[in-house]
Coordinates of all heavy atoms in Angstrom, one line a residue:
D81 N 27.1 -43.5 8.8 CA 27.3 -42.4 7.9 C 28.0 -42.9 6.6 O 27.6 -42.5 5.5 CB 28.2 -41.3 8.5 CG 27.5 -40.6 9.7 OD1 26.2 -40.8 9.8 OD2 28.1 -39.9 10.5
C82 N 29.1 -43.7 6.8 CA 29.8 -44.2 5.6 C 28.9 -45.0 4.6 O 29.0 -44.9 3.4 CB 31.0 -45.1 6.0 SG 32.3 -44.1 6.7
R83 N 28.0 -45.8 5.2 CA 27.1 -46.6 4.4 C 26.2 -45.7 3.5 O 26.1 -45.9 2.3 CB 26.3 -47.6 5.2 CG 27.1 -48.8 5.8 CD 26.1 -49.9 6.3 NE 25.4 -49.5 7.4 CZ 25.8 -49.6 8.7 NH1 27.0 -50.0 9.0 NH2 25.0 -49.2 9.7
L84 N 25.7 -44.7 4.2 CA 24.8 -43.7 3.5 C 25.6 -43.0 2.4 O 25.1 -42.8 1.3 CB 24.1 -42.8 4.5 CG 23.2 -41.8 3.8 CD1 21.9 -41.6 4.7 CD2 23.8 -40.4 3.7
L85 N 26.8 -42.5 2.8 CA 27.6 -41.7 1.8 C 27.9 -42.5 0.6 O 27.8 -42.1 -0.6 CB 28.8 -41.2 2.5 CG 28.7 -40.1 3.5 CD1 29.9 -39.8 4.3 CD2 28.2 -38.8 2.9
E86 N 28.3 -43.8 0.8 CA 28.7 -44.6 -0.3 C 27.5 -44.9 -1.2 O 27.6 -44.8 -2.5 CB 29.3 -45.9 0.2 CG 29.9 -46.8 -0.9 CD 31.0 -47.7 -0.4 OE1 30.9 -48.1 0.8 OE2 31.9 -48.1 -1.2
E87 N 26.4 -45.2 -0.6 CA 25.2 -45.5 -1.3 C 24.7 -44.3 -2.2 O 24.2 -44.5 -3.3 CB 24.1 -45.8 -0.3 CG 22.8 -46.4 -0.8 CD 21.8 -46.4 0.3 OE1 22.1 -46.9 1.4 OE2 20.6 -46.0 0.1
K88 N 25.0 -43.1 -1.8 CA 24.6 -41.9 -2.5 C 25.6 -41.4 -3.5 O 25.4 -40.4 -4.2 CB 24.2 -40.8 -1.5 CG 23.1 -41.1 -0.6 CD 21.8 -41.4 -1.3 CE 20.7 -41.9 -0.4 NZ 19.5 -42.4 -1.0
G89 N 26.7 -42.1 -3.6 CA 27.7 -41.8 -4.7 C 28.9 -41.0 -4.2 O 29.5 -40.3 -5.0
C90 N 29.2 -41.0 -2.9 CA 30.3 -40.2 -2.4 C 31.6 -41.1 -2.7 O 31.6 -42.3 -2.5 CB 30.2 -40.0 -0.9 SG 31.6 -39.2 -0.2
S91 N 32.7 -40.4 -3.2 CA 33.9 -41.1 -3.5 C 34.9 -41.1 -2.4 O 35.8 -42.0 -2.3 CB 34.6 -40.4 -4.7 OG 33.7 -40.4 -5.8
M92 N 34.9 -40.1 -1.6 CA 35.8 -40.0 -0.4 C 35.2 -39.3 0.7 O 34.5 -38.3 0.5 CB 37.1 -39.3 -0.9 CG 38.1 -39.1 0.3 SD 39.8 -38.7 -0.3 CE 39.6 -37.2 -1.2
V93 N 35.4 -39.8 1.9 CA 35.0 -39.1 3.1 C 36.2 -38.7 3.9 O 37.1 -39.5 4.2 CB 33.9 -39.9 4.0 CG1 34.5 -41.3 4.4 CG2 33.5 -39.1 5.2
F94 N 36.2 -37.5 4.3 CA 37.3 -37.0 5.2 C 36.8 -37.0 6.6 O 35.8 -36.3 6.9 CB 37.7 -35.5 4.7 CG 38.8 -34.9 5.5 CD1 39.9 -35.7 5.9 CD2 38.8 -33.5 5.8 CE1 40.9 -35.1 6.7 CE2 39.8 -32.9 6.5 CZ 40.9 -33.7 6.9
H95 N 37.5 -37.7 7.5 CA 37.0 -37.9 8.9 C 38.2 -37.6 9.8 O 38.8 -38.5 10.4 CB 36.5 -39.3 9.0 CG 35.9 -39.6 10.4 ND1 36.2 -40.7 11.1 CD2 35.0 -38.9 11.1 CE1 35.6 -40.7 12.2 NE2 34.8 -39.6 12.3
P96 N 38.5 -36.3 9.9 CA 39.7 -36.0 10.7 C 39.4 -36.0 12.2 O 38.3 -35.9 12.6 CB 40.0 -34.5 10.2 CG 38.7 -34.0 9.9 CD 37.8 -35.1 9.4
S97 N 40.5 -36.1 13.0 CA 40.4 -35.9 14.4 C 40.4 -34.4 14.8 O 40.7 -33.6 13.9 CB 41.6 -36.6 15.1 OG 42.8 -35.8 14.8
V98 N 40.0 -34.1 16.0 CA 40.0 -32.7 16.4 C 41.5 -32.2 16.4 O 41.7 -31.0 15.9 CB 39.4 -32.6 17.9 CG1 39.6 -31.1 18.4 CG2 37.9 -32.9 17.9
E99 N 42.4 -33.0 16.7 CA 43.9 -32.6 16.7 C 44.3 -32.3 15.3 O 45.2 -31.4 15.1 CB 44.8 -33.7 17.3 CG 44.6 -34.0 18.8 CD 43.2 -34.6 19.1 OE1 42.7 -35.4 18.3 OE2 42.6 -34.3 20.2
T100 N 43.8 -33.0 14.3 CA 44.2 -32.7 12.9 C 43.7 -31.4 12.5 O 44.4 -30.6 11.9 CB 43.6 -33.8 12.0 OG1 44.2 -35.1 12.3 CG2 43.9 -33.5 10.5
M101 N 42.5 -31.0 12.9 CA 41.9 -29.7 12.4 C 42.3 -28.6 13.3 O 42.5 -27.4 12.9 CB 40.4 -29.8 12.4 CG 39.9 -30.8 11.3 SD 40.6 -30.7 9.7 CE 39.7 -29.4 9.0
Y102 N 42.5 -28.9 14.6 CA 42.9 -27.8 15.6 C 44.2 -28.3 16.3 O 44.1 -28.7 17.5 CB 41.8 -27.5 16.5 CG 40.6 -26.9 15.8 CD1 39.4 -27.7 15.6 CD2 40.6 -25.6 15.4 CE1 38.3 -27.2 15.0 CE2 39.4 -25.1 14.8 CZ 38.3 -25.9 14.6 OH 37.2 -25.4 13.9
P103 N 45.3 -28.4 15.7 CA 46.5 -28.8 16.4 C 46.9 -27.8 17.5 O 46.4 -26.7 17.5 CB 47.6 -28.9 15.3 CG 47.1 -28.0 14.2 CD 45.6 -28.0 14.3
E104 N 47.7 -28.3 18.4 CA 48.1 -27.4 19.6 C 48.6 -26.1 19.1 O 49.4 -26.1 18.1 CB 49.1 -28.2 20.4 CG 48.9 -27.9 21.9 CD 50.1 -28.5 22.7 OE1 50.3 -29.7 22.6 OE2 50.7 -27.7 23.4
G105 N 48.2 -25.0 19.6 CA 48.6 -23.7 19.2 C 47.8 -23.1 18.1 O 48.1 -22.0 17.6
F106 N 46.8 -23.8 17.6 CA 45.9 -23.2 16.6 C 45.4 -21.9 17.0 O 44.9 -21.7 18.1 CB 44.7 -24.2 16.3 CG 43.8 -23.7 15.2 CD1 44.0 -24.2 13.9 CD2 42.8 -22.8 15.5 CE1 43.1 -23.7 12.9 CE2 42.0 -22.4 14.5 CZ 42.1 -22.8 13.2
A107 N 45.6 -20.9 16.1 CA 45.2 -19.5 16.5 C 44.6 -18.7 15.4 O 44.4 -17.5 15.6 CB 46.5 -18.8 17.1
T108 N 44.3 -19.3 14.2 CA 43.9 -18.5 13.1 C 42.4 -18.7 12.8 O 42.1 -19.9 12.4 CB 44.8 -18.8 11.8 OG1 46.1 -18.5 12.2 CG2 44.4 -17.9 10.7
Y109 N 41.6 -17.7 12.9 CA 40.2 -17.9 12.7 C 39.7 -17.0 11.5 O 40.3 -16.0 11.2 CB 39.4 -17.4 14.0 CG 39.7 -18.4 15.2 CD1 40.9 -18.2 15.9 CD2 38.9 -19.4 15.4 CE1 41.1 -19.1 17.0 CE2 39.1 -20.3 16.5 CZ 40.3 -20.1 17.2 OH 40.5 -21.0 18.2
V110 N 38.6 -17.5 11.0 CA 38.0 -16.7 9.9 C 36.6 -16.2 10.4 O 35.8 -17.0 10.9 CB 37.8 -17.6 8.6 CG1 37.1 -16.8 7.5 CG2 39.1 -18.1 8.1
N111 N 36.4 -14.9 10.3 CA 35.1 -14.4 10.9 C 34.5 -13.4 9.9 O 35.2 -12.5 9.4 CB 35.5 -13.7 12.2 CG 34.2 -13.4 13.0 OD1 33.2 -14.0 12.8 ND2 34.3 -12.4 13.9
V112 N 33.2 -13.5 9.6 CA 32.5 -12.5 8.8 C 32.1 -11.5 9.8 O 31.1 -11.7 10.6 CB 31.3 -13.2 8.1 CG1 30.5 -12.1 7.4 CG2 31.8 -14.2 7.0
E113 N 32.8 -10.3 9.8 CA 32.5 -9.3 10.8 C 31.5 -8.3 10.3 O 31.8 -7.1 10.1 CB 33.8 -8.6 11.1 CG 34.8 -9.5 11.9 CD 36.0 -8.8 12.4 OE1 36.1 -7.5 12.2 OE2 36.9 -9.5 13.0
S114 N 30.3 -8.9 10.0 CA 29.2 -8.0 9.6 C 28.0 -8.3 10.5 O 28.0 -9.3 11.2 CB 28.9 -8.4 8.1 OG 27.6 -8.8 7.9
D115 N 27.1 -7.4 10.4 CA 25.9 -7.6 11.3 C 25.1 -8.9 10.9 O 24.4 -9.4 11.7 CB 24.9 -6.4 11.1 CG 25.4 -5.2 11.9 OD1 26.3 -5.4 12.8 OD2 25.0 -4.1 11.6
M116 N 25.4 -9.5 9.8 CA 24.7 -10.7 9.4 C 25.0 -11.9 10.3 O 24.1 -12.7 10.5 CB 24.9 -11.1 7.9 CG 26.3 -11.6 7.6 SD 26.5 -11.7 5.8 CE 25.2 -12.8 5.3
T117 N 26.1 -11.9 10.9 CA 26.4 -13.0 11.9 C 25.9 -12.6 13.3 O 26.0 -13.5 14.2 CB 27.9 -13.2 12.0 OG1 28.6 -12.0 12.3 CG2 28.5 -13.8 10.7
K118 N 25.4 -11.4 13.5 CA 24.9 -11.0 14.8 C 23.4 -11.1 14.8 O 22.8 -11.0 15.9 CB 25.3 -9.6 15.1 CG 26.9 -9.5 15.1 CD 27.3 -8.1 15.6 CE 28.8 -8.0 15.5 NZ 29.3 -7.3 14.3
Q119 N 22.7 -11.3 13.7 CA 21.3 -11.4 13.6 C 20.8 -12.9 13.9 O 21.7 -13.8 14.0 CB 20.8 -11.0 12.2 CG 21.1 -9.6 11.8 CD 20.5 -8.6 12.7 OE1 19.3 -8.7 13.1 NE2 21.2 -7.5 13.0
L120 N 19.6 -13.1 14.0 CA 19.0 -14.4 14.0 C 19.7 -15.3 15.1 O 19.7 -15.0 16.2 CB 18.9 -15.1 12.6 CG 18.3 -14.2 11.5 CD1 18.5 -14.9 10.1 CD2 16.8 -14.0 11.8
C121 N 20.3 -16.4 14.6 CA 21.0 -17.3 15.5 C 22.2 -16.7 16.2 O 22.6 -17.1 17.3 CB 21.4 -18.6 14.8 SG 20.0 -19.6 14.2
G122 N 22.7 -15.7 15.5 CA 23.9 -15.0 16.1 C 23.6 -14.3 17.4 O 24.5 -14.0 18.2
K123 N 22.4 -14.0 17.7 CA 22.0 -13.3 18.9 C 22.2 -14.2 20.1 O 22.7 -13.7 21.2 CB 20.6 -12.8 18.9 CG 20.3 -11.6 18.0 CD 18.9 -11.1 18.0 CE 18.7 -10.0 17.0 NZ 17.3 -9.8 16.7
S124 N 21.9 -15.5 20.0 CA 22.1 -16.4 21.1 C 23.4 -17.2 21.0 O 23.9 -17.8 21.9 CB 20.9 -17.3 21.3 OG 20.9 -18.2 20.1
R125 N 24.0 -17.2 19.8 CA 25.2 -18.0 19.6 C 26.3 -17.1 19.0 O 26.6 -17.2 17.8 CB 24.9 -19.2 18.6 CG 23.7 -20.0 19.0 CD 23.5 -21.3 18.1 NE 24.4 -22.3 18.5 CZ 24.6 -23.4 17.7 NH1 24.0 -23.6 16.6 NH2 25.4 -24.4 18.1
A126 N 26.9 -16.3 19.9 CA 27.7 -15.2 19.4 C 29.0 -15.7 18.7 O 29.4 -14.9 17.8 CB 28.1 -14.4 20.6
T127 N 29.5 -16.8 19.0 CA 30.7 -17.3 18.4 C 30.5 -18.4 17.3 O 31.5 -18.9 16.7 CB 31.7 -17.8 19.4 OG1 31.1 -18.9 20.1 CG2 32.1 -16.7 20.4
H128 N 29.2 -18.7 17.1 CA 28.9 -19.9 16.3 C 29.5 -19.7 14.8 O 30.1 -20.6 14.3 CB 27.4 -20.1 16.2 CG 26.9 -21.1 15.3 ND1 27.2 -22.5 15.5 CD2 26.2 -21.1 14.1 CE1 26.7 -23.2 14.5 NE2 26.1 -22.4 13.7
F129 N 29.2 -18.6 14.2 CA 29.5 -18.4 12.8 C 31.0 -18.3 12.6 O 31.6 -18.6 11.5 CB 28.7 -17.3 12.1 CG 27.2 -17.7 12.0 CD1 26.3 -17.1 12.9 CD2 26.8 -18.7 11.2 CE1 25.0 -17.5 12.8 CE2 25.5 -19.1 11.1 CZ 24.6 -18.5 11.9
K130 N 31.7 -17.8 13.6 CA 33.2 -17.7 13.5 C 33.7 -19.1 13.5 O 34.6 -19.4 12.7 CB 33.7 -17.0 14.8 CG 35.2 -16.8 14.8 CD 35.6 -16.0 16.0 CE 37.1 -16.0 16.2 NZ 37.5 -15.4 17.5
G131 N 33.1 -20.0 14.3 CA 33.5 -21.4 14.2 C 33.2 -22.1 12.9 O 34.0 -22.8 12.3
V132 N 32.0 -21.8 12.4 CA 31.6 -22.4 11.1 C 32.5 -21.9 10.0 O 33.0 -22.7 9.2 CB 30.1 -22.0 10.8 CG1 29.8 -22.3 9.3 CG2 29.2 -22.7 11.8
C133 N 32.8 -20.6 9.9 CA 33.6 -20.0 8.8 C 35.0 -20.6 8.9 O 35.7 -20.9 7.9 CB 33.6 -18.5 8.8 SG 32.0 -17.9 8.2
T134 N 35.6 -20.7 10.1 CA 36.9 -21.1 10.3 C 37.1 -22.6 9.8 O 38.0 -22.9 9.0 CB 37.3 -21.1 11.8 OG1 37.2 -19.7 12.2 CG2 38.7 -21.6 12.0
I135 N 36.1 -23.4 10.1 CA 36.3 -24.8 9.7 C 35.9 -25.0 8.2 O 36.6 -25.7 7.5 CB 35.4 -25.8 10.6 CG1 35.9 -27.2 10.4 CG2 33.9 -25.7 10.3 CD1 37.2 -27.5 11.0
V136 N 34.9 -24.3 7.7 CA 34.6 -24.4 6.3 C 35.7 -23.9 5.4 O 36.1 -24.5 4.4 CB 33.2 -23.7 6.0 CG1 33.0 -23.7 4.5 CG2 32.1 -24.5 6.7
S137 N 36.3 -22.8 5.8 CA 37.4 -22.2 5.1 C 38.6 -23.2 5.1 O 39.2 -23.5 4.0 CB 37.8 -20.9 5.7 OG 39.1 -20.5 5.3
K138 N 38.9 -23.8 6.2 CA 40.0 -24.7 6.3 C 39.7 -26.0 5.4 O 40.5 -26.4 4.7 CB 40.3 -25.1 7.7 CG 41.5 -26.1 7.9 CD 42.0 -26.1 9.3 CE 43.3 -26.9 9.4 NZ 44.0 -26.8 10.6
L139 N 38.5 -26.4 5.5 CA 38.1 -27.6 4.7 C 38.1 -27.3 3.2 O 38.6 -28.1 2.4 CB 36.6 -28.1 5.1 CG 36.5 -28.8 6.4 CD1 35.1 -28.9 6.9 CD2 37.2 -30.1 6.4
F140 N 37.7 -26.1 2.8 CA 37.9 -25.7 1.4 C 39.3 -25.7 1.0 O 39.6 -26.1 -0.1 CB 37.3 -24.2 1.2 CG 35.8 -24.1 1.1 CD1 35.2 -22.9 1.1 CD2 35.0 -25.2 1.1 CE1 33.8 -22.7 1.0 CE2 33.6 -25.1 1.0 CZ 33.0 -23.9 0.9
H141 N 40.2 -25.2 1.8 CA 41.6 -25.2 1.5 C 42.2 -26.6 1.4 O 43.2 -26.9 0.6 CB 42.4 -24.4 2.5 CG 42.3 -22.9 2.3 ND1 41.5 -22.2 3.1 CD2 42.7 -22.1 1.3 CE1 41.5 -20.9 2.7 NE2 42.2 -20.9 1.6
I142 N 41.6 -27.6 2.1 CA 42.1 -29.0 2.1 C 41.6 -29.7 0.8 O 42.3 -30.3 0.1 CB 41.7 -29.7 3.4 CG1 42.5 -29.1 4.6 CG2 42.0 -31.2 3.3 CD1 41.9 -29.5 5.9
V143 N 40.2 -29.5 0.6 CA 39.6 -30.3 -0.4 C 39.7 -29.6 -1.8 O 39.7 -30.3 -2.8 CB 38.1 -30.5 0.0 CG1 37.3 -31.3 -1.2 CG2 38.0 -31.3 1.3
M144 N 39.8 -28.3 -1.8 CA 39.9 -27.5 -3.0 C 38.8 -27.9 -4.1 O 39.1 -28.2 -5.2 CB 41.3 -27.6 -3.7 CG 42.4 -27.1 -2.8 SD 44.0 -27.5 -3.4 CE 44.0 -29.3 -3.2

Side-chain angles (χ1 to χ4, degrees):
D81 291 346
C82 284
R83 286 198 293 275
L84 181 137
L85 288 170
E86 188 155 27
E87 193 189 312
K88 299 297 169 188
C90 178
S91 300
M92 174 160 63
V93 58
F94 180 39
H95 184 228
S97 66
V98 173
E99 292 70 35
T100 295
M101 297 310 278
Y102 296 105
E104 217 186 304
F106 181 94
T108 305
Y109 293 83
V110 179
N111 194 23
V112 173
E113 291 186 4
S114 119
D115 283 341
M116 71 191 300
T117 55
K118 302 185 183 98
Q119 302 296 323
L120 307 174
C121 293
K123 286 183 187 163
S124 67
R125 307 186 80 192
T127 56
H128 174 69
F129 292 107
K130 183 177 171 188
V132 168
C133 287
T134 299
I135 198 67
V136 170
S137 165
K138 184 158 183 169
L139 288 166
F140 281 174
H141 284 107
I142 294 166
V143 178
M144 297 170 294

